[in-house]
Amino acid sequence: MALPVPDALANAPSSSSMRGPGLGSARIWRLVCDPAPGRLGYALRMAAACTTTVLIGEIWQVPELAVPALVTMALWQKDRVTNALAGVAVNVLILILLLIIYALIRLTLDHPMGLVIVIALLSFSFFFLGSASKLKPVAYMLGLITVYGLIAIDQVPVGEVVTRALLYTDLFLAVPGAVMIVLGLLICPSPKKILTDSIAARLYMAVRLLQTPDALTQERATDMLREGTAGMMKSAKMASLEKIWSIHDLACLRQAANSSVAVLALADEASRARLPQEQLSRLTETLEGMARIFSDGDYPTAIESPVIASEHPSLQAITALLQSFTTPPAPVAGKSPEKEKSGFFSEDAFTNPDHVRFAVKGTAAVMLSYLAFKVLDWPGIHTCIITCFIVALPTMGEMISKLTLRITGALIGGTLGIASIITVMPHLNGITGFLALVFVVSLIGAWVKTGDERIAYAGFQIGLAFYLTDLKGYGPTADMATARDRIVGIMLGNLITYAMFTSFWPASAYDHLGASLRKLTDCLKRQGKAQSSEDQLQAAALSQSALLESERTLEYAMSEPAHMRADQPRLQAARNALIDASRLTEELLATPKRPDLADRTARLEQIAS
């Protein structure tokens, strides 16, 4: 039974600086327009990669060119090392897929019922892997390609079916994989550059918070804080694989990554005090100077802490932190404890029924879509099956929260596709103009996709709808019927998937809130008990990531229908608890030994129970 809501949290006033739950239209627009550091370059490179994939497909006359273009958009990464690794992995996976598809074609050729059974089994397997394994980012894409390859069997002559199916499946993944390896190495920056730019961005944001702490700056700073250090540590790991950077330099940059998050959190805490600018000028000058060095791809050493007049704890903590900003901790004598390695499957993969239920619902959506376009004898709406693999989400809150983004993205992409067929395609005389059109629309989708994770889905949907509408045959197309059919298929797939996932075993996001709050509580306790500055910085970064997870889960829970939603006092109590936890993780950086830590974490635990 749920414990009663603590009065201290249920009746706590909401913070004006707290971002409201859910995504209103104004918040979505701000996320779309957010000029996040590195976003434009990332979007330009992604659009260039998608356009290159289309060019290669046109040269080789790859059918259904939308699929490899979508794979490129889905898998394209920020840096050259991650792109190369992803490209190699895709080309290895294609060999396995080819063997699987060849065997399945041999089994199902001229056996319609066998084909239906195999499609169902494959769909279930890929949805299960997407829910219960580390293959989650790729499982749905592999399922899409494999199932689509089998469904396309009926559309080619029997004598050529095996050869064509294998060739096309090979090209669907081999072309994006090759583009990611070759083009990624040519145009993508080093992961070390990504890392130093990320550190610089946090320092610049800290300066803006101290100088002009307006609502928009605080909102963007909070978004940056919630990222923690996960992305930066991934960049450091990828940089170590290049073998061109010294171990010491990378250790200094890892320390700087942790320190930059702490400086940003402390600046956020100090910005609420509205301190006089004359007390901050020396500190902001120092931070700006450090940021410029990181922006140049280097890192500062022997940083002199500025003398400031203010006695504010957060400002004093920042100046103290600057002394060891890029100084990694000394290695501890003795063997360091090995990190526990997690397996391929999640710990509850075969005990939690939610994974099986998710796979069953996803399979049902795919089979209903397959049945619809077969019964209607309308092959052009086969995009409904592709859509099922792309839009499946585990909880009711996520389905509802992203439904608007999903439909909006599909309508924007479809509108751009149809408008280009009417107004642009008739005036194109060669491949150059067509590729320019692909690049421009790809850039629009990539810009949205490289933004906040809550709008990134709409960017992919823009690309999905446009590619499926305009990439028909070879070169510019004037086929309006195909554009209409594919948009209808996308919308039908959205409807079927939404109906299946919200009608059978609807899972509430609120059921997952307790686990994320307990994780957050553990991070706060670890931060409060940290014996060294290194442990404190790492715990603070983990607390920010845990806050992000909890805030997202609460947003989804608050958007669910009334019959599924938890009672309003409990939702409000959880929101107030997150407001308090957000302030606590910043306050612990300024004053580590807080006497109220036990009481505040106890209230958080009570909400989580």
Side-chain angles (χ1 to χ4, degrees), residues 27 38 77 113 115 173 185 201 218 248 272 276 307 334 426 436 442 458 461 498 528 548 570 590 601:
R27 174 67 166 144
Q77 302 295 317
M113 183 53 65
L115 177 62
L173 284 180
L185 291 174
Q218 289 180 330
H248 176 73
R272 289 193 285 269
V307 178
S442 297
Q461 288 290 321
Y498 175 79
L548 174 64
R570 183 158 295 279
T601 54

Side-chain angles (χ1 to χ4, degrees), residues 113-187:
M113 183 53 65
L115 177 62
V116 171
I117 294 173
V118 166
I119 290 174
L121 292 175
L122 283 174
S123 299
F124 179 88
S125 300
F126 283 112
F127 276 114
F128 181 81
L129 289 174
S131 176
S133 76
K134 288 184 177 180
L135 203 59
K136 184 176 298 184
V138 185
Y140 307 126
M141 195 63 63
L142 295 178
L144 181 160
I145 293 172
T146 306
V147 171
Y148 178 77
L150 291 175
I151 291 174
I153 288 176
D154 295 336
Q155 302 177 21
V156 295
V158 174
E160 303 175 9
V161 65
V162 174
T163 301
R164 290 200 177 193
L166 293 178
L167 174 62
Y168 295 157
T169 304
D170 183 14
L171 294 177
F172 284 167
L173 284 180
V175 172
V179 169
M180 293 176 71
I181 295 173
V182 178
L183 190 64
L185 291 174
L186 292 175
I187 68 175

Side-chain angles (χ1 to χ4, degrees), residues 439-458:
F439 177 81
V440 170
V441 180
S442 297
L443 180 59
I444 295 173
W447 172 262
V448 179
K449 186 178 181 297
T450 54
D452 188 276
E453 63 176 11
R454 289 171 291 179
I455 64 168
Y457 209 65

